Amino acid sequence: MKKLIQSFFALINSTILIFILFSCVSNPKTENTKIEEKTVEPKISTITLTFTGDIMAHTNVTRMKDFSLIYKDILDITQNDDVTFANFETPVVDDQEYENWPNFNAKNAYALAAMDAGFDAFTLSNNHTNDQGLKGIWATRDFFASQKENGIYSVGLKYEENGDYTYQIIEKNGFTILFMGVTEIYNSSRYIEWFDTTDRSEATRAKFIERVKKMREEHPCDLFVLAFHCNEPEYVIPVTDKRKAYYHQLVDAGVDVVWANHPHVMQEWEVIKSKENPNEQKVIMYSVGNLISGQRSKRNYENPAASREYTGESILMQLKFKKTVTKSKDEAKTDDITISAEKPKVVILTNHTEGPVGKYDSLIKKLDENFIESLPSELDKTYYKKRLELCNEITGKTIWK
């Protein structure tokens, strides 16, 4: 009987031991479940784009001995972003002399100064593109193209007559940017087959909208930037409803940033936000004005609000975008990509000479209280205070769609 009882307890102990050992063995199914449930951290990239105005080649600027001085006051912006855009409104023919309006010309050194100052992306299609004929178009195209190895991008000039629209793909910080530039206006019809043009007719605009859609489809990108040299009156600040409607159609067709020029004065801008995703935004700049020029040949102290006085100012608009990529755990599905944006940063700039035009350098200055207080002349202080007040009346607005 005693042995029977001992055998019984031995059987129980063995059973308990087997249960404990079995419990310690990993359950592959449980481990796999944990691995599948593990979340993948999204990849976040950011990019800062800066948009500026017209780089003109009036004599008061091109006669300067040191072109780098032009941009000295804005280097903290242009050299610390990711891509800086400008409209270069002059041909560049290095074996010809500098020429003033109406038929501009600049040498390589003038363009290189802008590049050294941090400008990376240039639109070359505008109403002065053919000022120096076909030689000027080819020379400008080839010079800017030669700088691509230095990180310089340019659009607007073709490599074959009647060729398709030119464009650049800019890869930066994990972003893919489609960059394109066209002009609606040209001072002469000579050789227009060699640069990117469109016009104001309803039929042409409808075709261009379809071309924009196709460009977006053919070149998948995170951001589509369109430089648009518009056929609109110069020195006029109000923007027509018809023009606004057209630019909104371009945005609806796939453009993220419509960056327009030609009026040579500041005009309003719009930030277009999505009701479905408030972090997404498109931007339309109707005209950012002259970055550097000689159109305000002297300051009108008696009437700072005169229309030509506005040719001395411009806005610098900085846009910051964030790209979030969430990897799909299902190989059959694509990654989830969202583009969000911060509120645009706007800086008002002015063209300033410290004396009579032609005697002193023409410089880009930030038009703010610090600049105004630094001026030795009370007359200049009064003038620029009024100019700042007037420029602050030109504002942007947010539109929800």
Side-chain angles (χ1 to χ4, degrees), residues 63-81:
R63 64 155 52 101
M64 290 174 59
K65 295 180 179 179
D66 185 355
F67 296 137
S68 69
L69 297 177
I70 297 170
Y71 308 99
K72 188 176 179 180
D73 200 45
I74 59 171
L75 294 181
D76 60 318
I77 300 174
T78 58
Q79 291 186 342
N80 289 291
D81 60 357

Side-chain angles (χ1 to χ4, degrees), residues 181-218:
V182 298
T183 183
E184 277 188 323
I185 185 171
Y186 30 88
N187 294 340
S188 164
S189 60
R190 297 182 308 152
Y191 311 113
I192 63 172
E193 301 84 5
W194 289 92
F195 55 102
D196 292 333
T197 65
T198 181
D199 64 53
R200 293 183 60 177
S201 71
E202 293 296 329
T204 301
R205 285 186 168 182
K207 288 180 181 179
F208 186 66
I209 289 168
E210 291 304 311
R211 188 68 187 96
V212 164
K213 289 179 182 178
K214 191 175 180 182
M215 286 292 291
R216 183 85 194 215
E217 292 169 0
E218 292 175 340

Side-chain angles (χ1 to χ4, degrees), residues 318-336:
Q318 196 165 77
L319 305 177
K320 294 186 178 182
F321 296 92
K322 181 171 74 173
K323 177 181 178 181
T324 304
V325 181
T326 304
K327 289 286 184 182
S328 173
K329 290 178 287 187
D330 186 345
E331 294 183 359
K333 295 181 179 180
T334 57
D335 299 339
D336 179 43

Side-chain angles (χ1 to χ4, degrees), residues 55 67-68 71 79 88 92 94 98 106-119 122 143-144 146-148 150 152:
I55 297 178
F67 296 137
S68 69
Y71 308 99
Q79 291 186 342
F88 204 80
V92 180
D94 201 48
Y98 286 97
K107 290 177 175 288
N108 294 356
Y110 189 63
L112 287 170
M115 298 174 191
D116 290 342
F119 290 80
F122 297 87
F143 170 71
F144 276 87
S146 73
Q147 299 301 310
K148 189 169 183 179
N150 298 322
I152 303 300

Side-chain angles (χ1 to χ4, degrees), residues 344-374:
K345 175 183 178 181
V346 177
V347 180
I348 299 175
L349 304 177
T350 191
N351 291 186
H352 175 69
T353 55
E354 295 179 348
V357 173
K359 185 177 180 181
Y360 293 93
D361 292 339
S362 297
L363 311 172
I364 301 168
K365 292 288 186 179
K366 296 172 187 172
L367 184 52
D368 55 24
E369 295 297 334
N370 290 333
F371 164 67
I372 294 171
E373 289 305 313
S374 71

Side-chain angles (χ1 to χ4, degrees), residues 36-240:
E36 290 175 0
E37 291 176 352
K38 185 178 179 181
T39 58
V40 179
E41 289 293 326
K43 182 180 179 182
I44 297 176
S45 307
T46 60
I47 195 166
T48 302
L49 309 180
T50 303
F51 295 87
T52 65
D54 307 317
I55 297 178
M56 308 293 290
H58 293 96
T59 301
N60 61 294
V61 185
T62 58
R63 64 155 52 101
M64 290 174 59
K65 295 180 179 179
D66 185 355
F67 296 137
S68 69
L69 297 177
I70 297 170
Y71 308 99
K72 188 176 179 180
D73 200 45
I74 59 171
L75 294 181
D76 60 318
I77 300 174
T78 58
Q79 291 186 342
N80 289 291
D81 60 357
D82 295 302
V83 186
T84 305
F85 295 80
N87 169 45
F88 204 80
E89 199 157 345
T90 174
V92 180
V93 185
D94 201 48
D95 63 1
Q96 292 181 193
E97 293 303 314
Y98 286 97
E99 290 190 35
N100 196 18
W101 184 87
N103 294 307
F104 289 116
N105 185 58
K107 290 177 175 288
N108 294 356
Y110 189 63
L112 287 170
M115 298 174 191
D116 290 342
F119 290 80
D120 317 275
F122 297 87
T123 177
L124 306 174
S125 185
N126 50 66
N127 58 302
H128 288 285
T129 295
N130 54 0
D131 278 3
Q132 299 301 322
L134 190 56
K135 176 184 178 181
I137 294 171
W138 287 355
T140 307
R141 176 199 65 194
D142 294 345
F143 170 71
F144 276 87
S146 73
Q147 299 301 310
K148 189 169 183 179
E149 62 184 21
N150 298 322
I152 303 300
Y153 299 89
S154 59
V155 294
L157 305 185
K158 301 178 180 182
Y159 278 91
E160 58 182 62
E161 190 176 8
N162 290 314
D164 199 1
Y165 286 111
T166 65
Y167 65 91
Q168 292 281 356
I169 301 295
I170 304 174
E171 301 280 357
K172 198 89 170 181
N173 293 7
F175 279 78
T176 299
I177 301 170
L178 172 60
F179 177 36
M180 181 178 170
V182 298
T183 183
E184 277 188 323
I185 185 171
Y186 30 88
N187 294 340
S188 164
S189 60
R190 297 182 308 152
Y191 311 113
I192 63 172
E193 301 84 5
W194 289 92
F195 55 102
D196 292 333
T197 65
T198 181
D199 64 53
R200 293 183 60 177
S201 71
E202 293 296 329
T204 301
R205 285 186 168 182
K207 288 180 181 179
F208 186 66
I209 289 168
E210 291 304 311
R211 188 68 187 96
V212 164
K213 289 179 182 178
K214 191 175 180 182
M215 286 292 291
R216 183 85 194 215
E217 292 169 0
E218 292 175 340
H219 307 285
C221 58
D222 300 306
L223 298 169
F224 185 173
V225 174
L226 175 64
F228 200 88
H229 209 77
C230 59
N231 187 0
E232 301 291 337
E234 296 179 332
Y235 324 127
V236 175
I237 294 172
V239 180
T240 64

